[in-house]
Amino acid sequence: MEPGITTGARRIRVFDTTLRDGEQSPGATMSLEEKLEVATALAELGVDVIEAGFPIASPGDLAAVRQIAEQARGVTIAALARCVKADIDAAVEALRPAADPMLHVFFSTSDIHLQHQVRLSREGALERIDQMVRYARAAVPNVEWSAMDATRTDLDYLCRAVEVAVRAGATTINLPDTVGYTLPHECARMFTRVREYLAERVPNADQIVFSTHNHDDLGLATANTIAAIEAGVRQIEVTVNGIGERAGNTPLEEVVMALRTRADNYGGYTTGVRSERIGGVSSLVGRCTGIVVAPNKAVVGSNAFAHESGIHQDGVIKDRTTYEIMTAESVGWTADQLVLGKHSGRAGFRQRLADLGYEVDQERLQGLYARFIALTDRKKRIDDADIVAIVEEEEQHSGPEAFALLAWRSASASDGPGRADAAVVLAIDGQEYEASGTGNGQVDALFAAINHLVRIPNTLVSYHIDAVTPGGDAQGAVAVTIAVGDRTFQGRGVATDVVEASIRSYLVALNRAASAAKGTEHRGDAETQRAAERNESKGREEVAERV
Ligand code: MN
């Protein structure tokens, strides 16, 4: 198969940009480990392309793209670059380990952007596009070129820019609605016009894959994406849960399920997405980004398959198709959710774990079940998200553990010296130790107590609390990042008490630091980090001379 070409005229290539455009959502920043977890889940979901990041943007982005490129197989890995040599160099370097790399270069084409942001004439822009697409193509055979702000670009000029990019070697042409402005018929007309223009001038123009990338500022992203498919586009750029800049990007789950549910209308457009994995990936992205899906969100909202009104319930009980156009199972939500509570036995709990995609042996089941029963004492309703949070926290403990939490207490008050007191009991290599600490809050005091025992000098780089589910008795999920020397380590912890969740997350990070110190992992990391730093300084100079 040639790069950039998918088999079957009605096969739609899914280009997922959750890790790039999605991660640009305010507050969505993910750790390296979370990005790797999401990338693995996307590959298993069956997307064709994972846009892993924008390597010039930061050393962290470059390192993430490189690691994803190293690990992911059976999927194309894309990296973003402006039409600037340093950007392209950084992206090429990050993509080097990829089995199937794609370089994504973009340049603005609208007069608004050319005049106010890029400060180049139309002709100057064409020259830049020609040079930089050629430069990119010399490094990587699979090049996507995007006309930033395409939907607000003069159509004749857009046609000329696309021709320049194709002649320079671009294999995919993406015409994004960067600002979420276009309408479905207008978006379709743009693609039809550009494709006709190209077909008249460039030999083998039908080998070029056209791509659509929409933003949801007017709530039209999915509609525009589908209109583009009907106009001949064979690649869609989407994100899980529709996360992305401002109002977000086209949600992957909406387009995939619209094509499937209305196959009668769309006559056999297919994607490689395994729809029954959508629910799981949606939850994962929600947890990693902290961006909670609205209950009424199409396909992945918690109410998307819930029937509340009496008339609807009556109909669904008689026959599900009365009010359901697709089944909950088809997107990975188990139907007829049996309620899990204090009285659920191990078998029911194990079945729910299996439904959620976790196969556990007897020994792990024992530990997980104990945490589940403890949770039923503190929380009225146990949701799938609670169970997933417990399993995922527990999975972090799979390696050898130097430190384990046995007990803790802490106290703080509005009066008094303004200090919190805390004590912890830890098992360290099988021995029990106790220490106390003070701090300007309970978490601070507990971390101080832990540090008396653990003795790994570290600084707390970040600390986030989120609720796993809504409600006053929700579990708190805490994510911490610590720096030890020039390395960083993440940990996540869940508990109904956020103080306990904090201790758990901190100990996970410290255990990871301890096992790294023993040299059990990470040879490549330092190298990646050095490469990232080199590129950061390069990037700064380049941004200064900005296009
Ligand atoms: Mn975008």
Side-chain angles (χ1 to χ4, degrees):
M1 201 167 78
E2 276 188 64
I5 297 164
T6 41
T7 49
R10 288 182 170 264
R11 171 69 158 75
I12 306 299
R13 191 163 78 191
V14 176
F15 177 114
D16 182 281
T17 185
T18 305
L19 293 170
R20 202 277 298 166
D21 215 335
E23 217 235 355
Q24 281 172 227
S25 319
T29 309
M30 287 179 248
S31 70
L32 176 58
E33 279 154 13
E34 288 168 334
K35 286 181 183 179
L36 289 168
E37 206 179 328
V38 169
T40 304
L42 288 169
E44 288 170 357
L45 178 67
V47 307
D48 301 285
V49 185
I50 294 173
E51 185 164 49
F54 188 14
I56 198 76
S58 74
D61 252 42
L62 189 142
V65 175
R66 173 179 287 235
Q67 287 225 4
I68 291 167
E70 258 165 33
Q71 293 181 17
R73 287 296 173 264
V75 62
T76 304
I77 303 299
L80 184 68
R82 292 170 299 180
C83 276
V84 171
K85 277 187 178 172
D87 278 41
I88 295 170
D89 292 343
V92 169
E93 185 174 339
L95 286 173
R96 190 152 290 141
D100 186 10
M102 179 191 229
L103 204 49
H104 178 192
V105 294
F106 70 96
F107 202 82
S108 290
T109 49
S110 69
D111 288 334
I112 300 176
H113 281 207
L114 289 179
Q115 281 163 22
H116 299 294
Q117 191 178 17
V118 187
R119 304 220 162 89
L120 260 184
S121 67
R122 283 182 171 191
E123 296 310 313
L126 294 181
E127 203 173 304
R128 175 73 78 111
I129 293 163
D130 178 58
Q131 287 167 355
M132 289 300 111
V133 171
R134 281 179 201 281
Y135 185 71
R137 180 63 201 257
V140 174
N142 192 3
V143 173
E144 166 170 317
W145 178 71
S146 284
M148 188 163 172
D149 206 17
T151 52
R152 291 192 302 170
T153 298
D154 172 77
L155 206 40
D156 291 329
Y157 178 68
L158 183 64
C159 289
R160 289 177 57 207
V162 168
E163 184 184 350
V164 167
V166 168
R167 289 189 188 281
T171 48
T172 297
I173 295 293
N174 182 44
L175 303 181
D177 187 29
T178 307
V179 294
Y181 176 76
T182 199
L183 301 171
H185 71 276
E186 208 174 61
C187 183
R189 196 173 59 204
M190 170 182 75
F191 280 106
T192 302
R193 173 76 193 285
V194 173
R195 289 180 65 224
E196 282 169 6
Y197 179 92
L198 204 64
E200 282 164 17
R201 280 156 204 272
V202 180
N204 300 323
D206 59 338
Q207 301 289 294
I208 300 299
V209 175
F210 278 85
S211 169
T212 188
H213 173 120
N214 298 293
H215 280 267
D216 210 29
D217 299 68
L218 295 173
L220 291 168
T222 297
N224 290 334
T225 299
I226 286 177
I229 290 171
E230 292 190 288
V233 161
R234 291 295 173 265
Q235 176 178 291
I236 57 172
E237 300 198 356
V238 292
T239 63
V240 174
N241 300 338
I243 62 168
E245 291 259 28
R246 307 184 310 279
N249 289 59
T250 309
L252 175 148
E253 63 277 6
E254 292 182 11
V255 183
V256 167
M257 291 315 287
L259 294 181
R260 174 169 298 200
T261 305
R262 295 309 310 275
D264 59 326
N265 186 68
Y266 296 119
Y269 290 125
T270 59
T271 68
V273 169
R274 300 175 186 96
S275 69
E276 64 286 352
R277 287 180 181 260
I278 285 174
V281 179
S282 165
S283 310
L284 176 68
V285 169
R287 279 196 307 284
C288 291
T289 59
I291 298 177
V292 180
V293 173
N296 61 328
K297 168 76 182 61
V299 184
V300 293
S302 57
N303 288 348
F305 295 94
H307 302 277
E308 187 71 39
S309 92
I311 293 173
H312 285 215
Q313 283 191 350
D314 175 63
V316 167
I317 289 165
K318 286 173 180 153
D319 187 326
R320 300 202 75 89
T321 60
T322 49
Y323 290 94
E324 269 185 12
I325 57 164
M326 52 190 166
T327 64
E329 296 93 316
S330 69
V331 294
W333 303 128
T334 43
D336 305 323
Q337 301 249 323
L338 65 149
V339 178
L340 276 189
K342 212 190 277 291
H343 305 295
S344 306
R346 280 182 183 71
F349 180 66
R350 185 179 219 164
Q351 182 57 49
R352 179 60 61 85
L353 288 176
D355 291 344
L356 292 167
Y358 299 106
E359 297 296 338
V360 299
D361 59 25
Q362 201 59 34
E363 196 189 328
R364 275 189 73 199
L365 180 69
Q366 208 63 19
L368 291 169
Y369 185 69
R371 287 219 36 205
F372 162 70
I373 288 298
L375 183 60
T376 61
D377 282 335
R378 298 183 179 193
K379 191 168 185 291
K380 270 205 299 284
R381 188 184 128 161
I382 312 291
D383 291 311
D384 287 350
D386 290 314
I387 296 171
V388 169
I390 292 174
V391 178
E392 295 203 333
E393 191 211 279
E394 200 255 3
E395 278 178 348
Q396 299 176 105
H397 305 282
S398 55
E401 279 199 321
F403 324 108
L405 179 66
L406 297 177
W408 64 276
R409 71 184 148 70
S410 65
S412 57
S414 59
D415 50 0
R419 304 287 287 171
D421 299 303
V424 287
V425 184
L426 299 183
I428 303 181
D429 297 323
Q431 292 273 26
E432 208 173 303
Y433 296 90
E434 182 169 353
S436 55
T438 56
N440 56 23
Q442 294 187 31
V443 171
D444 194 36
L446 280 159
F447 285 10
I450 290 169
N451 284 331
H452 283 311
L453 296 176
V454 165
R455 296 175 190 282
I456 296 176
N458 69 87
T459 48
L460 190 62
V461 178
S462 72
Y463 173 92
H464 293 288
I465 302 185
D466 280 303
V468 175
T469 54
D473 60 356
Q475 292 196 93
V478 172
V480 298
T481 305
I482 60 170
V484 178
D486 59 354
R487 306 226 13 220
T488 58
F489 301 91
Q490 280 95 20
R492 273 194 307 225
V494 292
T496 49
D497 185 317
V498 294
V499 176
E500 181 168 330
S502 304
I503 304 171
R504 288 177 172 279
S505 63
Y506 193 49
L507 285 175
V508 168
L510 288 168
N511 271 310
R512 285 178 170 165
S515 84
K518 285 186 190 146
T520 45
E521 41 181 80
H522 321 97
R523 204 198 60 259
D525 268 14
E527 193 194 326
T528 308
Q529 186 64 29
R530 278 196 301 277
E533 278 157 15
R534 279 202 304 279
N535 272 291
E536 185 186 35
S537 51
K538 242 194 319 192
R540 280 201 212 99
E541 289 157 24
E542 196 59 47
V543 170
E545 71 134 60
R546 195 153 189 149
V547 290

